[in-house]
Amino acid sequence: MRIGLAGAGRIGARHAAALCALPEVDTLLIADADAARARDLAVRLPSPARALDAVGELFAAGLDGLVVAAATDAHAALVERAVAARTPVFCEKPLAADVDGTFHTVRSAAAAGVPVQVGFQRRFDAGNAAAREALASGRLGWLHTVRSCSFDPSPPPPAYVPSSGGLFRDCVIHDLDLIRFVTGREVVRVMAAGANRGDDFFRECGDIDTGSALLVLDDGTLGVVSATRYNAAGYDARLELFGSKDSIVAGLDDRTPAAALPERDAEPQSADRPAYSGFMERFSDAYDAEIQAFVDMVAGRRANPCPPEDALEAFYLAEACEMSMREGRIVGTGEVRR
C-alpha cells in the first residue's frame, strides 16, 4: 500500500510512525510546507518512508490513501483535492476552520463518493469503546447523566491560540463527538460558560482558558463537558456514564491525576507511574488504532469509522457552545445547522 502524509509536525510524526509499523504500508511519502521538516522526519523513520519536496507532489504519486496532518487552514483544500483524485483520506480534525468550510468539504466528499475518515481518536480508546458497548448492552439501564472532561496540564504556546478556533472548537469538540458516539443520541440544546483565570493571551485573542457546557440530549439525558488549559496535576480525559442500573467510568486508572480524600486511605501515586503528560500519551493506543482503521478502510476490510458527517455534527455542537457562551443564553442546535 502506498500512503501519503501531508504534514510533518508533531501529530504528523506520530501518524508516520504508526504507518511505518503496519505491514500493509510498503511506501510512505511525506510532504510538508517546510520541505526540510519532511526530510528530517523521513530520515528518522524506517525505510518505507521517503520525503517529497512539495505537498503538491503527493497528488501525482499514485497514492492508495492520504493522511492529512497539516495546519488547520490547509485541511479543506487537501481533502477536496484528494477526493477529486479518488484518493481515500484520513484528516485530522477539523475538516475546516469554520462551519461553512466544514459543510462544503463534507458535501464535496459525499458528491465524490470517496471515503474521508476524520481524526477523532477518542472513539478508538479501549475504555470509551467499552463504555459504548456497556450502554448498548443494557447494563446501565436508562442513561440519565453523561460527563466528559478534557484537562490539559499546561496551556499551548501563545502563537497557537489565535488560529486554534477557541477552546470549544479546538478541545471540547472531542468530548462532544465522544458523547454522540457513545450514546448514539443527538444533542438538542446547550448552555455554556467560560472563564479566564490564567495567562492574558487567551483573553487578548478572544478565547477562554476554562469552559463548561450543559447538554440536553434528544432522549432527555443530561450531559456535562468541562475543559481547561490549566490542570497542573497532569492530563485528564475521562468519560462517566450514570444510569438507572449502573455507573461506569472510562479513563480512570493509576495515572489519572486526581487524589482521593482522605489521602491516608489512598495509595500514593507511584513515581514510575506519573500522570499522563498530554493527550498524545494518554491516547497513544487510540492513535495507533485509528490509523490501522484507516488502512483497513482503504483495503476494503471495514466501513468508515468516523465519516465527515459526524465531524460536521461535532462542529455544530462546538459552534452552539461558543454562541451560548458569547450570548449568555441557551442555544438550540438547530440554530447553527446548515
Side-chain angles (χ1 to χ4, degrees):
M1 191 176 290
R2 192 175 180 87
I3 301 294
L5 172 65
R10 181 173 63 156
I11 192 64
R14 179 68 182 79
H15 290 325
L19 287 162
C20 285
L22 297 179
E24 300 95 329
V25 179
D26 51 33
T27 303
L28 176 63
L29 301 176
I30 304 170
D32 191 275
D34 180 349
R37 185 160 68 168
R39 289 192 296 270
D40 289 344
L41 175 58
V43 299
R44 300 198 307 268
L45 293 168
S47 57
R50 179 163 61 86
L52 300 179
D53 291 331
V55 173
E57 293 182 18
L58 290 168
F59 298 97
L63 299 178
D64 296 302
L66 175 67
V67 173
V68 175
T72 294
D73 59 4
H75 287 190
L78 289 169
V79 170
E80 293 193 24
R81 191 170 178 182
V83 298
R86 313 293 304 167
T87 302
V89 187
F90 173 92
C91 183
E92 272 301 320
K93 68 86 187 167
L95 282 173
D98 56 24
V99 167
D100 288 339
T102 304
F103 181 77
H104 184 273
T105 304
V106 170
R107 291 189 65 179
S108 296
V114 176
V116 176
Q117 178 185 334
V118 184
F120 283 106
Q121 85 282 353
R122 295 190 193 187
R123 292 183 174 213
F124 298 88
D125 175 73
N128 292 335
R132 185 176 190 241
E133 293 171 4
L135 178 59
S137 74
R139 169 183 163 181
L140 276 64
W142 48 267
L143 190 66
H144 58 77
T145 304
V146 54
R147 299 193 304 213
S148 183
C149 71
S150 296
F151 295 159
D152 290 331
S154 58
Y160 173 81
V161 176
S163 61
S164 70
L167 186 69
F168 288 109
R169 300 185 191 97
D170 179 49
C171 185
V172 174
I173 194 169
H174 282 287
D175 303 88
L176 298 170
D177 175 73
L178 186 61
I179 286 174
R180 288 188 68 250
F181 175 70
V182 169
T183 65
R185 313 301 308 192
E186 298 296 341
V187 178
V188 296
R189 57 186 179 275
V190 307
M191 183 172 63
N196 286 101
R197 304 288 302 279
D199 293 286
D200 289 338
F201 61 79
F202 288 104
R203 185 182 295 102
E204 292 166 356
C205 294
D207 197 4
I208 54 173
D209 60 49
T210 301
S212 291
L214 174 65
L215 318 176
V216 180
L217 279 59
D218 58 10
D219 64 348
T221 299
L222 298 181
V224 180
V225 297
S226 300
T228 186
R229 304 293 195 182
Y230 292 95
N231 197 59
Y235 182 76
D236 193 354
R238 272 175 284 163
L239 178 72
E240 303 173 340
L241 302 178
F242 302 89
S244 60
K245 292 182 179 179
D246 200 0
S247 302
I248 55 176
V249 182
L252 182 64
D253 58 30
D254 61 355
R255 299 188 66 185
T256 302
L261 296 177
E263 292 186 359
R264 64 178 181 274
D265 294 333
E267 289 288 332
Q269 192 165 50
S270 171
D272 60 353
R273 297 287 291 170
Y276 294 104
S277 60
F279 62 89
M280 292 186 70
E281 183 184 23
R282 164 66 176 83
F283 292 109
S284 178
D285 290 344
Y287 278 114
D288 289 341
E290 71 174 355
I291 290 298
Q292 179 68 70
F294 174 63
V295 169
D296 289 343
M297 184 183 73
V298 172
R301 293 193 292 262
R302 69 172 296 170
N304 190 345
C306 190
E309 291 80 6
D310 282 359
L312 179 59
E313 287 298 322
F315 208 121
Y316 284 149
L317 298 184
E319 195 77 4
C321 289
E322 183 76 17
M323 181 182 293
S324 174
M325 180 189 68
R326 300 295 178 195
E327 299 182 8
R329 65 179 180 91
I330 296 172
V331 172
T333 52
E335 297 182 48
V336 299
R337 283 193 170 87
R338 300 292 186 266

